[in-house]
């Protein structure tokens, strides 16, 4: 397919992928609407983040990974490979969790003690936000490749996919921006981390368009999707949900989880 791609088609496919990825910035505007001492909102946002991560992992990424792998092997073997990749992802992020220290550099504190979020909370929230940005960025990389390839196949195929990805990237932007904002007090940093995770999509498109289209297989895609879904599930249960409950607003946290489920369910069902 790549031999017949002209400059215009390549550029438009890349532009559509960029638009889909940058929609994380829309979600990041949540940082502008929150107050640094609003712990109820923080509980809700962390619950929302967990809901988004868990739902997209179990209802989109892992099933797609299983389908890809089962198409290459037998149904049973493909399922086993998918499960191995899923738990390998959990093991990978658990290892990082053990290596990365809880405390962060003191120059990131920004004197937020008077805002109701103490120093330990700031360090912990910043770490969560960075881990989320990394996990979502890794997830967005193959998603960017998929968007790019679909755009090369025609606008009638590409536009619904781009719109769907843009819609479900918005809560992902919220998931990253709110803990970063509460950790640093910086709206610009919250926006920056969210946009950087979204930039993984056009980077994935470029990488795929230039290097990987010839070697990217359903097997490679399936292994990566399963591993990243494991990473997201681990972060949700080890980091996001415990923190959401620690701020004392149990019902806000659960409401955020349910809303995260609903947002992902609707976006995946409609598109």
């Amino acid at each position: 397919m790549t031999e017949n791609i002209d400059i215009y088609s390549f550029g438009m496919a890349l532009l559509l992928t960029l638009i889909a990825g940058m929609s994380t910035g829309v979600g990041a505007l949540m940082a502008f609407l929150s107050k640094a001492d609003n712990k109820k909102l923080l509980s809700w946002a962390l619950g929302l983040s967990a809901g988004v991560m868990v739902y997209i992992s179990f209802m989109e990424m892992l099933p797609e990974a299983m389908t890809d792998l089962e198409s290459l092997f037998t149904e049973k073997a493909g399922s086993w490979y998918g499960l191995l990749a899923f738990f390998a992802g959990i093991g990978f992020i658990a290892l990082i969790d053990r290596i990365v220290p809880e405390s962060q550099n003191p120059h990131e504190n920004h004197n937020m003690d008077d805002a109701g979020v103490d120093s330990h909370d700031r360090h912990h929230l910043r770490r969560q936000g960075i881990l989320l940005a990394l996990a979502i960025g890794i997830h967005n990389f193959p998603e960017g490749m998929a968007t790019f390839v679909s755009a090369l196949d025609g606008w009638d195929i590409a536009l619904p996919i781009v719109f769907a990805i843009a819609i479900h990237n918005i809560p992902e932007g919220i998931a990253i921006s709110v803990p970063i904002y509460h950790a640093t007090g910086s709206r610009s940093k919250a926006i920056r981390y969210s946009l950087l995770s979204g930039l993984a999509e056009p980077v994935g498109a470029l990488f795929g368009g230039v290097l990987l289209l010839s070697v990217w297989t359903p097997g490679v895609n399936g292994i990566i999707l399963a591993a990243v879904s494991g990473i997201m599930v681990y972060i949700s249960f080890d980091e996001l949900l415990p923190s959401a409950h620690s701020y004392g607003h149990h019902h806000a946290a659960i409401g955020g989880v349910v809303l995260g489920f609903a947002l992902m369910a609707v976006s995946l069902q409609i598109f």
Side-chain angles (χ1 to χ4, degrees), residues 165-178:
I165 289 174
I167 290 295
H168 79 241
N169 276 356
I170 290 173
E172 291 178 356
I174 296 172
I176 296 166
S177 66
V178 173

Side-chain angles (χ1 to χ4, degrees), residues 58 89 228 242 248 254:
F58 284 126
V228 174
I254 294 301

Side-chain angles (χ1 to χ4, degrees), residues 108-167:
E108 298 290 352
N109 288 348
H110 297 282
N111 194 28
M112 285 183 64
D113 285 331
D114 59 345
V117 180
D118 65 28
S119 178
H120 179 270
D121 286 343
R122 288 199 307 273
H123 296 323
H124 193 60
L125 286 169
R126 180 173 177 268
R127 183 167 170 272
Q128 287 177 351
I130 292 171
L131 284 173
L132 269 172
L134 177 63
I136 291 173
I138 294 171
H139 162 239
N140 285 348
F141 187 87
E143 192 173 81
M145 291 184 62
T147 306
F148 180 79
V149 172
S150 70
L152 292 177
D153 285 336
W155 284 59
D156 56 330
I157 298 173
L159 288 178
I161 293 175
V162 169
F163 186 65
I165 289 174
I167 290 295

